[in-house]
Amino acid sequence: MLHSSRPAGGLCALGRHKSRPIKQRLVAVAYTSGQAKQDPALVLQQQQQQAPASQHGVLAAAERLDLDEVWVPYRWPGQLGGEDVYISGSWCEWKERHVSLRHCSASASYPGDWVALFKMKTGQHEYKFNVDGGWRVAPGDPLVMDPEGNINNKRLCVKNCHIEFCFKSNSPVARSPRTVISVIGSWSNWRIATPLQKEGSNKWFTELSLPPGEYSFRFMVGDSTDLHPVMAVSDKYERQEVVNRDGQRVMCNKIRVDVAPAFYLFYATGWRQCTLMYKMLKDGNPLTAAWQVAAMDDSPSRAEPCGENSRWKQAIIALPAGVDASDRDRYSMQFFIQGPRLGDSSDEDNAGGSRDSSRRRSSVRANNGNGNGAQQSAEDAAAARWFAPLPDDGVPGDLRSQVKVDTPDKQSTSACYQLRWPGGWKLQRGTITKFPCVTKPPVLLCADIDGTMVNEHSDKKEQFWMDARTKEFQEYWESNAALARSVLVFNTGRSKGQLIWLLKEKPMLAVPDVLITAVGTKIWYLPDGMRCFQDPTEVEWIEDKLWSNRLDEGWDLQQALSAAGEMFKLFNRDSAERVKWLDKGQEHPHRVALQVHTAVLDDLIERLQEAIDKRQLQARIIMSGAGDWRYVDVVHRLAGKLEALEWVRQVYGVPVERCATAGDSCNDILMLDGKMPAIVVGNAQEELVRWYHEQNDHGRIVLTDKPEAAGVLEGLARHGLY
């Protein structure tokens, strides 16, 4: 049970007066995307349908959670668009329109997310979102590819967040049978409340399944007829002030949620399909006599850990329901891996490598189905029959005459592999190693490319070592960070086409999930589900149209060109050329780019700002670069490298403290100079190093000893994000 160790206390309601009855001291405050506002229509989500909890208002008596039930929030990022969004999954056999998502209010900077929260059975569930009639996967949620080639989101739903609320024992509110309490928090964008059920005379509680991270929340206290319940915090949990979008400080409780307790196993193999056979043990004693079966899905990684065409498979085995945190380490697991049938010509792979001539990434199913395997072909059906049934009293030796199995070598004292406690683990080439980073929230890394991730040198020996550093990062990212659902973003001056060319020329370069170009005026994503399972040079990147559309408002390219054109008349009056065109908006319509000599730089920026103001353009000036010639960009006031990165961060839902930026030149100050942990690589330009030493950043920025991609790895380690 995750809660603060502070002693339980009473109600601390905001905006109340003790002498007034509860019906007269209601505070009409609700939250939409963190913003305090009058909102009597706030809905209490109580069942697997979105409907008001009562006919009278937002509070109603809570139905009880069974031992195997939990409240689970789901989110579709508003940045990805949609007018009609619903979710369906394996828990309802992919029933059409199982739960419609509610749209949160948009702000001036961000479109509102779509959220749902409903009660469901504990366990692992695959799901997809239907957005305006098309099936999509959420990029910030775990991705898997099943044996039929369907790419789905998949989540382990267990009770990893226990929230309770207590009154003092003599409180008349606690004794009232009409008192109803719910909790609302940042896990649903402050949009959907979760009911608490009563336990004893003065205690209410609920159980949620949340991704790991830190959350803010408040309680709603009233009775079943209240339209505007009291918004309250509890003495039981830590408190923090949250600044809402109106700039108001609001007191909330906060809670840190750890990863769901389970065995997280990643298996390096050449088999295209395989099955995990396991037994759970408590204090060394098996909980079941029979071997249990679990599917192994393709993981979100491009790595080939055992040679060409090998891959990382993954399986998650949850602990039994109701296990207390203090008892988790009493559980262990025995397992082996069951592979294809012996002699089956349809799979010549083996556990350690591959002799398969077809590439794994070419087997991805078109991502337009709902993920339930309804499109399964005859070939897929044959593949599903690879696995032999295991007798209840069977042992691995019983199977060797029927199927391939992966068990410890003959020198091992055990016939099965063993995981000694719950957590993250890897099995590679017969060796089990701990993998703790999978039990932490994912990381988002936003890096420059040239000079940071790759570099060019005329000396072949130097070039070899530069490429080796790039390869070292790729191997780390794909076999570690990607397995833990981390996100790689390239923030570059290169165009999309130039990046695709670079990926072909430099196969040792890690493939990004997101590309930010043109000083933050363009954002590109790989298509849904293809980030991990398909060669990025063979698919078309998708432009973030919502990002582009928001830059249209108040932007006039012709007026921007006119303002920039005046600079040529002012500063190129004699034969000396001090201003040059770089981009007149043909390639990037929300950007006008100049190259300016430092001799006139300050004066030009002042005159350019005057020209922009005169035309009442919604624009800003960004200066970057090094040397005698600098880059001067005129872009929409909402655009920029850091602004685009913040937009992407919101899409993936990664906390600021789990995001990092990395660069090597003054161009990168635009993203290094934010609130996120930052990395200046060891080969950085002198001007950037000088800027670094001028920053009073309290350790937020690190200057690494190692250059280029090796410096990025060093910086991640020093920030605790490795």
Side-chain angles (χ1 to χ4, degrees):
M1 306 301 183
L2 299 174
H3 52 71
S4 169
S5 59
R6 297 177 62 181
L11 167 69
C12 178
L14 304 181
R16 298 183 46 167
H17 192 281
K18 294 182 179 179
S19 63
R20 297 165 62 189
I22 188 169
K23 188 66 179 178
Q24 298 178 11
R25 40 183 164 81
L26 300 176
V27 180
V29 179
Y31 285 83
T32 301
S33 301
Q35 182 177 1
K37 61 189 298 184
Q38 303 293 324
D39 187 4
L42 183 67
V43 170
L44 173 65
Q45 186 76 37
Q46 185 167 308
Q47 299 180 347
Q48 291 184 349
Q49 302 174 3
Q50 292 193 310
S54 86
Q55 297 178 348
H56 306 288
V58 299
L59 290 175
E63 58 180 309
R64 288 194 168 272
L65 285 173
D66 293 336
L67 182 63
D68 62 345
E69 291 180 327
V70 65
W71 292 100
V72 184
Y74 289 92
R75 165 182 172 265
W76 177 256
Q79 290 92 330
L80 299 183
E83 297 294 331
D84 179 30
V85 182
Y86 67 89
I87 187 173
S88 190
S90 56
W91 61 81
C92 64
E93 298 182 350
W94 300 96
K95 177 183 176 182
E96 291 287 330
R97 193 171 287 278
H98 179 63
V99 174
S100 294
L101 277 69
R102 294 183 62 82
H103 191 214
C104 300
S105 298
S107 71
S109 301
Y110 298 99
D113 289 341
W114 294 81
V115 295
L117 188 145
F118 53 94
K119 186 175 69 173
M120 61 190 308
K121 297 288 187 182
T122 57
Q124 294 186 70
H125 301 289
E126 296 189 25
Y127 57 96
K128 268 184 177 174
F129 297 86
N130 190 290
V131 183
D132 297 337
W135 290 100
R136 305 276 300 276
V137 291
D141 293 357
L143 285 175
V144 297
M145 184 169 71
D146 65 20
E148 287 75 43
N150 297 298
I151 299 172
N152 300 324
N153 291 124
K154 188 173 185 177
R155 183 188 293 185
L156 173 63
C157 300
V158 299
K159 299 178 180 181
N160 67 337
C161 181
H162 177 89
I163 291 180
E164 61 183 51
F165 189 94
C166 297
F167 286 100
K168 293 180 179 179
S169 58
N170 60 351
S171 168
V173 179
R175 294 197 301 268
S176 171
R178 298 175 59 183
T179 298
V180 178
I181 302 176
S182 59
V183 63
I184 189 167
S186 56
W187 52 77
S188 66
N189 280 24
W190 301 94
R191 184 56 177 151
I192 303 176
T194 307
L196 276 65
Q197 62 188 59
K198 192 171 184 179
E199 182 180 64
S201 61
N202 66 330
K203 177 180 175 182
W204 282 256
F205 77 96
T206 193
E207 306 271 7
L208 296 102
S209 178
L210 302 179
E214 189 172 282
Y215 298 92
S216 303
F217 63 95
R218 302 179 80 193
F219 294 94
M220 302 166 64
V221 183
D223 62 42
S224 58
T225 64
D226 288 339
L227 288 174
H228 306 298
V230 172
M231 303 300 294
V233 295
S234 170
D235 292 338
K236 183 177 180 63
Y237 302 94
E238 288 187 65
R239 301 185 187 188
Q240 66 176 3
E241 279 192 333
V242 176
V243 180
N244 64 25
R245 294 183 182 180
D246 289 338
Q248 300 171 330
R249 293 184 176 275
V250 180
M251 184 63 69
C252 300
N253 287 130
K254 71 175 182 178
I255 192 169
R256 177 166 291 278
V257 178
D258 294 330
V259 70
F263 293 92
Y264 297 84
L265 177 63
F266 293 88
Y267 176 47
T269 181
W271 289 333
R272 289 196 302 271
Q273 296 188 29
C274 54
T275 303
L276 176 69
M277 314 296 295
Y278 71 95
K279 287 184 179 181
M280 188 86 69
L281 295 86
K282 181 179 181 181
D283 298 329
N285 301 311
L287 300 183
T288 60
W291 290 95
Q292 306 298 302
V293 181
M296 299 207 76
D297 302 306
D298 274 18
S299 68
S301 168
R302 297 177 179 277
E304 297 179 318
C306 296
E308 186 178 0
N309 297 318
S310 62
R311 66 216 58 146
W312 283 105
K313 293 281 191 176
Q314 65 178 13
I316 302 175
I317 306 300
L319 296 182
V323 174
D324 191 80
S326 60
D327 290 334
R328 291 174 187 173
D329 289 346
R330 298 172 62 186
Y331 289 83
S332 59
M333 192 175 83
Q334 293 181 342
F335 74 94
F336 65 95
I337 309 295
Q338 179 179 327
R341 286 184 179 275
L342 291 173
D344 194 322
S345 60
S346 60
D347 191 341
E348 293 297 331
D349 294 355
N350 55 68
S354 174
R355 295 189 296 272
D356 182 12
S357 60
S358 62
R359 292 186 61 81
R360 169 174 63 109
R361 294 168 187 162
S362 65
S363 64
V364 178
R365 182 179 302 284
N367 194 36
N368 56 6
N370 62 3
N372 65 357
Q375 306 125 319
Q376 188 176 27
S377 66
E379 181 182 354
D380 294 330
R385 294 194 295 270
W386 282 352
F387 310 112
L390 186 67
D392 288 348
D393 57 350
V395 295
D398 297 339
L399 288 177
R400 294 188 185 276
S401 61
Q402 305 176 55
V403 297
K404 299 176 183 179
V405 294
D406 185 354
T407 56
D409 57 31
K410 295 181 180 179
Q411 284 73 35
S412 174
T413 58
S414 174
C416 301
Y417 293 109
Q418 306 220 15
L419 304 181
R420 300 179 64 181
W421 52 77
W425 302 87
K426 285 182 177 178
L427 172 57
Q428 186 174 12
R429 299 187 186 278
T431 301
I432 291 179
T433 55
K434 292 188 290 186
F435 185 42
C437 75
V438 75
T439 62
K440 301 175 183 177
V443 170
L444 187 149
L445 172 65
C446 182
D448 173 51
I449 299 179
D450 297 284
T452 304
M453 301 304 299
V454 297
N455 217 336
E456 297 292 336
H457 201 283
S458 57
D459 183 86
K460 290 185 178 180
K461 186 176 181 180
E462 279 297 318
Q463 188 63 55
F464 171 82
W465 289 113
M466 288 177 177
D467 290 345
R469 289 189 282 269
T470 303
K471 181 65 175 177
E472 178 187 7
F473 177 88
Q474 181 196 60
E475 291 177 345
Y476 160 77
W477 190 264
E478 295 295 352
S479 286
N480 293 277
L483 296 179
R485 301 190 295 110
S486 293
V487 183
L488 181 60
V489 181
F490 284 165
N491 205 335
T492 177
R494 287 179 179 263
S495 67
K496 178 189 62 156
Q498 289 172 329
L499 173 67
I500 293 176
W501 175 86
L502 185 64
L503 289 170
K504 293 179 179 179
E505 291 294 309
K506 297 278 188 182
M508 74 289 297
L509 178 63
V511 176
D513 302 298
V514 185
L515 180 62
I516 299 173
T517 63
V519 201
T521 59
K522 292 280 189 181
I523 300 175
W524 306 87
Y525 304 93
L526 286 176
D528 288 347
M530 301 300 181
R531 300 174 183 85
C532 313
F533 305 111
Q534 186 164 335
D535 190 336
T537 63
E538 297 176 0
V539 297
E540 187 64 33
W541 291 70
I542 297 176
E543 182 181 356
D544 190 326
K545 292 294 186 181
L546 278 180
W547 175 256
S548 300
N549 291 342
R550 73 194 291 268
L551 301 185
D552 287 337
E553 186 175 349
W555 174 257
D556 188 321
L557 177 59
Q558 295 306 315
Q559 289 292 329
L561 287 170
S562 174
E566 286 187 10
M567 303 304 104
F568 287 81
K569 298 176 183 179
L570 292 171
F571 297 99
N572 283 353
R573 288 177 294 188
D574 51 26
S575 58
E577 188 178 35
R578 300 181 181 89
V579 185
K580 303 176 184 178
W581 283 110
L582 283 180
D583 184 2
K584 293 185 178 182
Q586 291 95 336
E587 184 178 3
H588 305 103
H590 298 104
R591 170 203 185 195
V592 171
L594 304 174
Q595 197 170 15
V596 181
H597 196 278
T598 53
V600 299
L601 181 63
D602 292 341
D603 193 17
L604 181 140
I605 289 178
E606 182 178 350
R607 296 294 188 90
L608 182 57
Q609 186 63 58
E610 291 175 357
I612 290 172
D613 294 341
K614 182 175 65 175
R615 291 164 174 81
Q616 297 183 341
L617 275 174
Q618 297 292 315
R620 59 186 295 210
I621 300 172
I622 297 176
M623 190 277 292
S624 60
D628 293 337
W629 288 87
R630 304 297 175 89
Y631 304 113
V632 174
D633 294 279
V634 179
V635 301
H636 192 284
R637 65 177 181 82
L638 297 178
K641 283 189 172 183
L642 188 60
E643 289 75 12
L645 172 57
E646 176 62 19
W647 178 274
V648 172
R649 185 190 73 79
Q650 297 260 354
V651 169
Y652 285 88
V654 180
V656 170
E657 65 273 13
R658 299 291 293 177
C659 297
T661 58
D664 73 300
S665 71
C666 288
N667 293 358
D668 303 317
I669 292 176
L670 299 172
M671 63 175 175
L672 298 173
D673 192 20
K675 296 181 179 180
M676 303 173 186
I679 302 165
V680 177
V681 292
N683 61 305
Q685 295 175 359
E686 290 184 8
E687 285 187 328
L688 182 61
V689 174
R690 189 160 51 249
W691 171 86
Y692 160 77
H693 286 297
E694 293 171 353
Q695 305 306 304
N696 183 18
D697 57 275
H698 305 288
R700 185 186 64 82
I701 311 172
V702 299
L703 174 63
T704 66
D705 297 321
K706 295 180 179 180
E708 297 141 7
V712 176
L713 291 179
E714 178 190 335
L716 289 173
R718 289 169 61 178
H719 280 305
L721 301 174
Y722 186 84

